[in-house]
Amino acid sequence: MTGLALEGIIAYPVTPFAPARNGGADSGADSRVDGRGDGRGDGHGDGRGDGGVDTEALTALVDRLIDAGCHAIAPLGSTGESAYLDDQEWHTAAEAALAAVAGRVPAVVGVADLTTRGAVRRARFAERAGADAVMVLPQAYWKLDEREVADHFTAVADAVGVPVMLYNNPATSGVDLSPELMVSLVERVENITMVKESSGDVRRMHRLAQLTDGALPFYNGSNPLALAAFSAGAAGWCTAAPCLIPGPVLELHRAVRAGEWDRALEVFQRQLPVLEFILGGGLPTTVKAGLALLGLDVGEPRRPLLPLDPAGTARLAELLAAAG
């Protein structure tokens, strides 16, 4: 396993969907990636952006994020609608995103599946495709106890040679990882080396720092806690916000690194309404609407998620303008 120095702004791209080629809600057929390499699908979806992964738009978005100065790219997280992709679509999105990154910055691929076997399969695919690390989120239908969670993470980590980031996001996964459990896994499993904390409780970040004397790299995944998380010692901020407001997001990080906390507070407060809006409205829905406002068509979210309504879109346009 090679070491990975991961810090700063770790940007989440959405997964763009192309319009179905032969739309129509009555078609009764699923949308699928067609396997011919164009990523635009050949299925009969609902005609509303369900025609498969749009690799051209994904490449354009990754380029924008890197050109803006983001320090790493993390495709196929919650923002990337990973839970709504079939295996072929997931493979297409992973390959396209990693090809677009092309080693310019670290790439951390999100891995989640209801089964350990499925998570292992995706982690191995991501490693073969060139991921620098995998971010593993446990997903649960039946409630998992700590023994089962530990076994799941250990199996995925043992299956790959790249670093593993533990991802705690109880709101989407149904699994809540305590700081004590995460630290114990980092101590016991060699290539589990990082933690992403998205519970929305900054006290857990302080606890991670306390338990490890500040040695464990942890990353904030809760947008409204960005400034508080950096203050708690977070090594980075995992966020979809750079898709819409890269300037303020990166400016916040620069101010923190320079120790200019008054400037950091001003920058953070200026972008906070956007951060709260995109989180409250659902990241795939709001970020895709915002990208359309900014001139990059990435399609609509996959149903049952629906596009942002006109009132929400108008409000988002106002917030983006105010955030600069």
Side-chain angles (χ1 to χ4, degrees), residues 1-4 6 132-134 157 162-166 182 185-187 189-195 215-219:
M1 182 190 71
T2 59
L4 176 65
L6 191 64
D132 296 292
V134 292
V162 295
V164 172
M165 176 188 289
L166 302 183
M182 291 190 284
L185 285 166
V186 170
E187 292 174 344
V189 183
E190 180 183 3
N191 62 328
I192 297 179
T193 62
M194 303 169 280
V195 167
L216 173 63
F218 65 87
Y219 303 83

Side-chain angles (χ1 to χ4, degrees), residues 8-9 205 220 225-237 249 252-253 256 261:
I9 302 303
M205 300 182 200
N220 170 51
L225 290 183
L227 184 58
F230 280 129
S231 179
W237 177 15
V249 169
L252 172 62
H253 180 252
V256 168
W261 290 99

Side-chain angles (χ1 to χ4, degrees), residues 130-314:
D132 296 292
V134 292
M135 178 183 67
V136 182
L137 175 74
Q139 290 183 311
Y141 181 87
W142 293 105
K143 182 177 176 60
L144 304 180
D145 62 25
E146 287 197 357
R147 180 175 61 96
E148 291 164 329
V149 169
D151 180 78
H152 177 80
F153 277 120
T154 302
V156 176
D158 286 348
V160 296
V162 295
V164 172
M165 176 188 289
L166 302 183
Y167 179 15
N168 184 44
N169 190 346
T172 59
S173 71
V175 180
D176 193 4
L177 309 174
S178 70
E180 289 77 12
L181 175 59
M182 291 190 284
V183 168
S184 72
L185 285 166
V186 170
E187 292 174 344
R188 286 161 38 199
V189 183
E190 180 183 3
N191 62 328
I192 297 179
T193 62
M194 303 169 280
V195 167
K196 177 187 171 187
E197 226 310 307
S198 298
S199 67
D201 185 352
V202 73
R203 293 173 299 178
R204 296 191 179 204
M205 300 182 200
H206 287 288
R207 182 61 174 157
L208 289 169
Q210 181 185 48
L211 289 169
T212 63
D213 292 326
L216 173 63
F218 65 87
Y219 303 83
N220 170 51
S222 179
N223 284 333
L225 290 183
L227 184 58
F230 280 129
S231 179
W237 177 15
C238 301
T239 176
C243 293
L244 306 183
I245 50 169
V249 169
L250 288 156
E251 186 181 355
L252 172 62
H253 180 252
R254 286 192 295 269
V256 168
R257 287 292 302 271
E260 297 174 355
W261 290 99
D262 287 344
R263 180 164 70 94
L265 178 59
E266 184 277 324
V267 172
F268 176 68
Q269 289 179 335
R270 175 158 45 92
Q271 64 189 276
L272 182 58
V274 173
L275 302 178
E276 292 176 332
F277 183 90
I278 63 175
L279 179 63
L283 290 169
T285 295
T286 54
V287 174
K288 285 187 169 183
L291 284 167
L293 288 169
L294 296 173
L296 180 59
D297 182 6
V298 292
E300 297 177 356
R302 175 154 289 175
R303 296 174 77 178
L305 300 179
L306 292 175
L308 194 61
D309 61 28
T313 301

Side-chain angles (χ1 to χ4, degrees), residues 12-16 58 61 65 79-81 240 243 283-284 287-288 291 298:
Y12 287 134
V14 297
T15 298
L58 179 54
L61 178 55
L65 292 168
T79 301
E81 297 179 77
C243 293
L283 290 169
V287 174
K288 285 187 169 183
L291 284 167
V298 292

Side-chain angles (χ1 to χ4, degrees), residues 3-96:
L4 176 65
L6 191 64
E7 64 88 29
I9 302 303
I10 300 148
Y12 287 134
V14 297
T15 298
F17 296 126
R21 289 177 179 169
N22 299 295
D26 299 329
S27 64
D30 291 334
S31 169
R32 293 290 184 266
V33 171
D34 63 15
R36 292 194 294 269
D38 64 5
R40 290 181 173 268
D42 62 355
H44 304 281
D46 62 5
R48 305 203 305 177
D50 207 17
V53 177
D54 185 338
T55 57
E56 292 179 9
L58 179 54
T59 297
L61 178 55
V62 169
D63 284 341
R64 283 171 60 145
L65 292 168
I66 294 176
D67 290 345
C70 295
H71 304 102
I73 302 296
L76 293 168
S78 304
T79 301
E81 297 179 77
S82 178
Y84 300 141
L85 304 179
D86 64 30
D87 282 343
Q88 183 57 56
E89 291 173 323
W90 193 93
H91 294 162
T92 297
E95 287 182 324

